[in-house]
């Protein structure tokens, strides 16, 4: 099975800033269909998400875990299988002492990818990453992922290190339609 890593906020759901309640979780158009296509095509779907809102005191780790359970249950009821959700609750500017630190898992660092690779025996060079920020592209590229997709942003590509290559797409569904049609 192939593995695809997905950032959550801004790729699967609309990023309103610090989304931590199921009632505030709004899917981006086409993302549910994209997740169903990935599941049907036997991709291992792994979420990798920074959750600085925990360190900043906007919500708790328990709140995040509850949303993750609600999301996963919703997905299962809609023929979508999420293999795992990796998250980083840390931020160096956090106000919650337990989470106030610079962490190797927080993107643009690659720790979440390495944890997933170790846990699931993933060959990262053959995996795919979809994110909506340059930190996602940096983290995945530094982890050895060669196929990276950036959901279109307004910031020019020249703001990113020229050594990192990625494709730009409108949304997750356009990425999935490409990878499931062309079988990269």
């Amino acid at each position: 099975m192939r593995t695809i890593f997905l950032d959550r906020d801004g790729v699967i759901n609309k990023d309103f800033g610090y989304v931590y309640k199921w009632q505030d979780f709004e899917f981006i158009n086409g993302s549910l269909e994209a997740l169903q296509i990935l599941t049907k095509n036997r991709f291992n779907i792994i979420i990798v998400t920074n959750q600085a809102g925990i360190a900043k005191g906007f919500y708790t780790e328990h709140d995040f875990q509850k949303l993750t359970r609600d999301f996963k249950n919703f997905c299962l009821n809609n023929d979508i299988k999420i293999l795992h959700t990796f998250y980083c609750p840390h931020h160096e500017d956090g106000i919650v002492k337990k989470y106030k630190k610079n962490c190797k898992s927080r993107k643009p660092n690659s720790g979440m990818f390495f944890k997933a690779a170790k846990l699931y025996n993933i060959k990262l060079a053959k995996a795919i990453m979809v994110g909506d920020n340059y930190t996602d592209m940096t983290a995945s590229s530094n982890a050895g992922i060669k196929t990276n997709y950036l959901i279109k942003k307004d910031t020019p590509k020249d703001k990113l290190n020229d050594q990192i290559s990625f494709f730009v797409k409108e949304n997750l569904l356009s990425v999935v339609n490409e990878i499931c049609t062309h079988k990269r």
Side-chain angles (χ1 to χ4, degrees):
M1 290 182 81
R2 296 195 56 198
T3 299
I4 188 164
F5 290 95
L6 304 174
D7 181 41
R8 193 191 76 183
D9 302 328
V11 173
I12 296 171
N13 61 287
K14 292 183 180 178
D15 187 355
F16 299 116
Y18 306 113
V19 176
Y20 67 95
K21 293 179 183 173
W22 180 243
Q23 62 263 28
D24 297 333
F25 194 94
E26 187 177 330
F27 285 94
I28 293 172
N29 283 345
S31 65
L32 273 176
E33 181 183 351
L35 293 169
Q36 290 168 331
I37 293 168
L38 288 168
T39 300
K40 182 179 174 188
N41 282 276
R42 300 177 37 111
F43 275 83
N44 286 322
I45 303 170
I46 298 176
I47 310 295
V48 285
T49 179
N50 286 343
Q51 291 296 315
I54 296 169
K56 294 180 178 182
F58 295 127
Y59 52 95
T60 66
E61 196 165 8
H62 175 77
D63 293 331
F64 171 78
Q65 291 167 347
K66 182 179 181 331
L67 171 61
T68 300
R69 278 191 308 275
D70 291 343
F71 169 70
K72 191 170 184 177
N73 288 335
F74 179 87
C75 287
L76 284 172
N77 289 328
N78 285 278
D79 302 317
I80 298 164
K81 184 179 178 197
I82 305 295
L83 180 62
H84 199 112
T85 297
F86 290 91
Y87 67 99
C88 180
H90 305 106
H91 194 284
E92 58 191 13
D93 295 331
I95 63 166
V96 179
K97 188 175 182 181
K98 176 180 175 181
Y99 302 111
K100 181 184 171 90
K101 69 177 185 176
N102 189 357
C103 179
K104 292 181 181 177
S105 290
R106 182 173 172 72
K107 296 177 284 182
N109 298 318
S110 303
M112 287 187 276
F113 297 97
F114 294 133
K115 285 179 187 176
K118 184 176 181 181
L119 184 62
Y120 294 107
N121 195 28
I122 297 167
K123 295 192 181 343
L124 291 172
K126 295 185 181 272
I128 298 168
M129 171 62 186
V130 183
D132 69 324
N133 282 299
Y134 295 123
T135 54
D136 298 321
M137 300 298 97
T138 301
S140 60
S141 181
N142 289 340
I145 296 174
K146 297 186 182 333
T147 307
N148 297 286
Y149 290 90
L150 179 70
I151 301 301
K152 189 175 180 177
K153 290 292 218 179
D154 295 332
T155 309
K157 185 176 177 177
D158 65 359
K159 297 287 184 191
L160 185 67
N161 182 329
D162 287 338
Q163 296 174 359
I164 298 173
S165 66
F166 56 89
F167 303 97
V168 177
K169 292 290 180 182
E170 293 296 319
N171 55 39
L172 180 58
L173 184 58
S174 63
V175 172
V176 168
N177 284 335
E178 180 173 307
I179 63 175
C180 289
T181 301
H182 294 100
K183 304 282 187 204
R184 287 189 184 275

